[in-house]
Amino acid sequence: MSQQQYARAKLHAVRSRISKICLEQRRSLNSVKLIGASKKQSPDLIREFLNLGLEDLGENYLQEGISKIESLIEPTPTWHFIGQIQSNKTKLIANNFDWVHGVDRLKIATRLAKQNTREQSVKILLQLNLDDEHSKGGVSQSQAPELANQIAQEIESIGGAELRGFMTIPKARNTYSEQTATFAKARNVLELTNQQFGIGLTELSMGMSGDLEAAIAEGATMVRIGTDLFGPRD
Ligand SMILES: *Cc1c(COP(=O)(O)O)cnc(C)c1O
């Protein structure tokens, strides 16, 4: 099988899963954005997916991401930074990526806003830590609405960035009902935040290869798919 045939089959399989769950949930297909989580995948393989119409890529590591941004320019994807953010890297992140998932402190959000020298604002998602895992970043459900509001107000006055919603990377769960129960918490946080503060957040970035159906059932607007799209990483 050529690399192109491989990419076509993989992309088709993931898109079919997304269509099937959207149909079941009576959600429109274009309400869910597919982000290819392309860390550790070769630019040549990723290019095949772009040529087949994949429009969004997510990268975790800054240097690797920037080198791909420089080499994958036609067609130009929308770039998402989905890795952990170090505060001394915010300037490069803000000026190279369109979306930044995984913001979990006011300081990071304000730095992204202030350091963005581009015309368009960088779109930010606040990371939720739904399992209270200390190894992962993110804010707890109880702190999230207040912090989201604070970030939204602060960066609105600075310009350069906009808060759009939440992202989460929950622990892998064994059953569909455990998966949906976890993603439902994120949906709740989004609804609560909008009710309390009226800041009109719309995005939920959640769902990976193993749980995209449950995430979409609970309102994901962006799914980040690595393994099931590109294959195993080295
Ligand atoms: C690697 C990664 C993904 C994709 O994970 P898969 O299980 O390979 O689909 C999604 N989100 C983040 C933040 C990642 O680091």
Side-chain angles (χ1 to χ4, degrees):
M1 194 172 10
S2 73
Q3 206 170 43
Q4 188 189 38
Q5 287 169 318
Y6 173 86
R8 180 170 284 127
K10 289 289 206 179
L11 185 59
H12 179 74
V14 170
R15 285 202 169 138
S16 299
R17 285 172 63 189
I18 295 173
S19 326
K20 181 160 179 277
I21 187 72
C22 281
L23 197 67
E24 279 171 29
Q25 296 292 325
R26 299 171 195 281
R27 290 191 53 181
S28 81
L29 247 184
N30 58 21
S31 71
V32 181
K33 192 181 284 303
L34 170 59
I35 300 173
S38 48
K39 59 176 175 278
K40 307 210 169 129
Q41 304 289 351
S42 77
D44 283 348
L45 179 63
I46 299 168
R47 190 174 289 110
E48 297 289 359
F49 285 84
L50 298 179
N51 289 336
L52 294 167
L54 181 66
E55 293 177 342
D56 290 79
L57 291 175
E59 284 285 330
N60 290 63
Y61 308 106
L62 187 57
Q63 284 317 316
E64 179 186 342
I66 289 175
S67 107
K68 285 173 180 165
I69 289 171
E70 286 165 357
S71 67
L72 297 168
I73 44 179
E74 186 53 54
T76 309
T78 297
W79 289 98
H80 301 252
F81 189 78
I82 63 175
Q84 282 192 8
I85 304 164
Q86 292 167 282
S87 63
N88 61 343
K89 301 290 167 59
T90 46
K91 184 167 190 187
L92 279 171
I93 294 173
N95 288 287
N96 283 281
F97 291 84
D98 305 295
W99 288 80
V100 183
H101 303 224
V103 171
D104 63 0
R105 282 176 285 158
L106 178 63
K107 178 184 161 197
I108 298 285
T110 55
R111 286 175 68 95
L112 289 166
K114 285 180 183 157
Q115 295 173 338
N116 179 14
T117 59
R118 299 196 291 182
E119 191 86 7
Q120 74 272 35
S121 19
V122 56
K123 294 171 277 276
I124 288 179
L125 302 176
L126 179 58
Q127 184 171 353
L128 297 173
N129 190 332
L130 296 176
D131 302 311
D132 297 317
E133 289 177 284
H134 298 297
S135 59
K136 281 181 196 162
V139 292
S140 67
Q141 287 175 82
S142 58
Q143 295 171 315
E146 191 116 357
L147 181 58
N149 183 50
Q150 210 184 355
I151 289 175
Q153 304 307 331
E154 190 84 13
I155 64 183
E156 190 183 324
S157 70
I158 300 169
E162 287 166 29
L163 184 71
R164 291 295 183 86
F166 297 98
M167 82 87 82
T168 191
I169 317 171
K171 278 198 280 220
R173 270 83 185 170
N174 294 323
T175 66
Y176 186 75
S177 67
E178 286 173 307
Q179 291 172 355
T180 53
T182 306
F183 290 130
K185 295 184 195 170
R187 182 214 283 270
N188 250 317
V189 170
L190 183 81
E191 285 169 2
L192 251 168
T193 305
N194 284 333
Q195 270 167 26
Q196 262 186 320
F197 298 108
I199 51 177
L201 301 181
T202 54
E203 307 300 323
L204 280 177
S205 165
M206 57 189 194
M208 318 204 308
S209 293
D211 54 18
L212 75 87
E213 285 83 359
I216 291 172
E218 293 301 332
T221 59
M222 301 176 167
V223 291
R224 310 175 308 264
I225 311 300
T227 314
D228 284 359
L229 201 55
F230 301 108
R233 299 179 274 272
D234 317 319

